Amino acid sequence: MTLIDGKAVANAIKEEIAQEVADIVARGGKRPHLAAILVGHDGGSETYVKNKVLACEQCGFTSTLIRFEDDVTEEELLSQVEKLNNDDDVDGFIVQLPLPRHISEQKVIEAIDYKKDVDGFHPINVGRMSIGLPCYISATPNGILQLLKYYNIETSGKKCVVLGRSNIVGKPMAQLMMQKRYPGDSTVTVCHSHTPNIKEECLQADIIIAALGQPGFVTADMVKPGAVIIDVGTTRVPDSTRKSGFRLSGDVDFENVAEKCSYISPVPGGVGPMTICSLMKNTLSAGKKEFYK
Ligand code: GUN
């Protein structure tokens, strides 16, 4: 079994990005600038955004963090989005999700200029991704593709089961794994809360990508020997032995599944670091106007 080291791969990619940024700046070009909007004080979102800002420093990007309290109105948030759309210095920006319930996430996502949508959540980017056109691809699925590529994992003709159908991970992941290219060319099945025979589906899979948010959901009896297991779960579970009071738990019963499979990504240290790294790649693309003028 090979342990997929997302942290090491992400660090290597961030170093490449930093080198490219140094070259751009040395040639008199503009330093890429990522802005992030964070609403409220959700622990998970705070950590993600803090890590995104840190990653910007590692890559040599300029970053701006814009914070609002939980009671910000939809109108105020939309007006901030509009400001960033029109700010020529900002190459790309994200609005950290989830948002408070009184704000429509979809409305906010659609208000973002798709040319600056480095999260790849805008319907134009989602549509372009699904038909294989150049665009910002959402960070978690793209990070997983980079891991498959880095470890030279065969995907062509393989049966890939995606667990979960979220707009952020499951749906784009399924689309990407069926694209006519590497990594891709897989036969994809998407399972979700209304799938009656998940165990049987998983047992046939050469690759399982688990993105349900249910700790330990994938057990050893669901895994074909030699399968590739990608764990996207990052649920906080209480743990009194930790200073923080919690630990991150994946969707896979790692201990028992690890000995059955060929590759497995751990939590933490697997997909998580790659997600942020993909956002950095998208920001570099935005700075270079790679996809849109
Ligand atoms: N919340 C969980 N994942 C993400 C992400 O990739 N981007 C944003 N903006 N919010 C998230």
Side-chain angles (χ1 to χ4, degrees), residues 2 15 21 28 43 47 64 66 78 85 89 91 104 132 142 147 156 178 180 193 211 223-224 246-247 273 276 290:
T2 302
E15 273 178 30
V21 171
T47 306
T64 303
I66 299 154
L78 289 171
N85 283 343
D89 196 68
D91 298 296
S104 159
N142 205 19
L147 284 178
S156 176
M178 73 170 89
K180 205 177 171 88
S193 53
V223 173
K224 181 166 87 172
F246 68 86
R247 66 189 150 81
I276 293 186
E290 189 174 330

Side-chain angles (χ1 to χ4, degrees), residues 23 29 33 45 145 147 175-176 194 213 215 249 252 259 267 276:
D23 292 346
H33 183 176
S45 294
L145 293 188
L147 284 178
Q175 288 284 355
L176 290 162
H194 288 247
S249 175
V252 177
E259 47 201 54
V267 175
I276 293 186

Side-chain angles (χ1 to χ4, degrees), residues 17 20-35 59-64 87-92 116 283-289:
I17 296 174
E20 191 169 342
V21 171
D23 292 346
I24 291 170
V25 173
R27 280 187 267 115
K30 177 183 171 299
R31 199 176 279 287
H33 183 176
L34 174 72
C59 293
F61 297 162
T62 306
S63 68
T64 303
D87 184 338
D88 286 340
D89 196 68
V90 172
D91 298 296
K116 294 191 176 188
T283 304
L284 179 62
S285 298
K288 296 196 303 189
K289 309 264 184 286

